[in-house]
């Protein structure tokens, strides 16, 4: 059963999916953490792999960048492939000085001015929560692994080169960081009665202007992946 964007057979997609933005990260995760994995999608180079992590079946499916791309893939995974849970594993730009490079942020809510939900369902909500059951499991996994994390909201933007009021987003909406995919993911989960959450690594700090190199980013990324994989039930 294929869709316009996904060539996978239905049985080749697990019920639980981790979604990094970058296709090469999906490959890296499969090669580094999974056993008996196989490539299950390469349409448009949106690479996806299904394999086992400690005996649990999981699919790593790249989302591409931004709400429209995440919106397409997560919708089709939920709706056409009967996926039950999606955890976004991505990067974010920090809005707070005390959220350092490589630190991990568990997303409580996604705030956005995007019209994604409005166009999807007609609802006007601009703040959508991550699934509380998944977040609880992610917290338990982080605690068991002894990995520190922050918990807060993100500002999900459609415009990477934007000129938003960061202090206002921080104060009014408790936004710890910005990224570009959670709002579409959480909107699809709401519409389709599925579970979605997000755990992010800080790749740049918009206050201190620090940035990571791509090599450093890859290494720090592993902590977040371990949390997500260990949270799978
Ligand atoms: N803006 C938007 N998305 C991001 C950023 C950013 O600075 N860093 C990582 N994802």
């Amino acid at each position: 059963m294929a869709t316009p964007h996904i060539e996978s057979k239905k049985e080749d997609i697990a019920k639980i999916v981790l979604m990094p933005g970058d296709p090469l990260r999906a490959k890296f995760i499969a090669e580094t953490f999974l056993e008996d994995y196989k490539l299950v999608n390469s349409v448009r180079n949106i690479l996806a792999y299904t394999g086992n992590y400690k005996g649990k079946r999981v699919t790593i499916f790249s989302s591409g960048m931004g709400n429209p791309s995440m919106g397409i893939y997560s919708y089709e995974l939920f709706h056409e492939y009967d996926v039950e849970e999606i955890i976004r594993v991505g990067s974010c730009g920090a809005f707070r000085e005390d959220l350092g490079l490589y630190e991990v942020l568990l997303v409580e809510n996604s705030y956005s001015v995007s019209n994604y939900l409005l166009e999807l369902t007609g609802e006007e909500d601009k703040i959508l929560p991550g699934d509380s059951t998944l977040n609880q499991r992610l917290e338990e996994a982080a605690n068991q692994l002894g990995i520190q994390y922050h918990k807060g909201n993100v500002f999900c933007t459609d415009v990477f080169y934007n000129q938003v009021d960061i202090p206002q987003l921080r104060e009014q909406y408790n936004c710890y960081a910005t990224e570009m995919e959670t709002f579409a993911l959480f909107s699809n989960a709401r519409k389709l009665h599925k579970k979605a959450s997000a755990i992010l690594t800080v790749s740049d700090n918009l206050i201190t202007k620090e940035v990571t190199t791509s090599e450093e980013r890859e290494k720090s990324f592993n902590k977040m992946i371990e949390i997500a994989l260990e949270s799978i039930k």
Side-chain angles (χ1 to χ4, degrees), residues 88 91-94 155 157 159-160 162 178-181 201 203-204 206:
R88 161 161 157 72
S91 65
C92 63
F155 174 61
T157 184
V159 184
F160 185 87
N162 60 25
T178 183
E179 54 80 59
M180 305 183 72
E181 291 83 18
T201 301
S203 61
D204 47 288
L206 299 172

Side-chain angles (χ1 to χ4, degrees), residues 10-23:
K10 196 163 183 174
E11 62 268 27
D12 281 342
I13 300 289
K15 296 294 169 220
I16 299 176
V17 176
L18 263 54
M19 294 191 86
D22 178 355

Side-chain angles (χ1 to χ4, degrees), residues 91-105:
S91 65
C92 63
F95 278 173
R96 297 163 56 114
E97 265 179 54
D98 65 354
L99 192 53
L101 296 186
Y102 313 122
E103 292 196 313
V104 173
L105 175 65

Side-chain angles (χ1 to χ4, degrees), residues 2 15 20 26-28 31 41 45 49 53 73 76 93 111 120 122 147-148 154 162-163 166 173 211 227 230:
K15 296 294 169 220
K27 182 168 187 273
F28 174 84
E31 288 170 349
N41 190 65
N45 277 328
Y49 298 82
Y53 178 76
Y73 294 107
E76 292 180 3
Y111 167 64
L120 184 73
I147 299 171
Q148 296 218 330
V154 290
N162 60 25
Q163 41 179 7
I166 293 176
Y173 296 99
V211 288
I227 296 171
E230 287 290 337

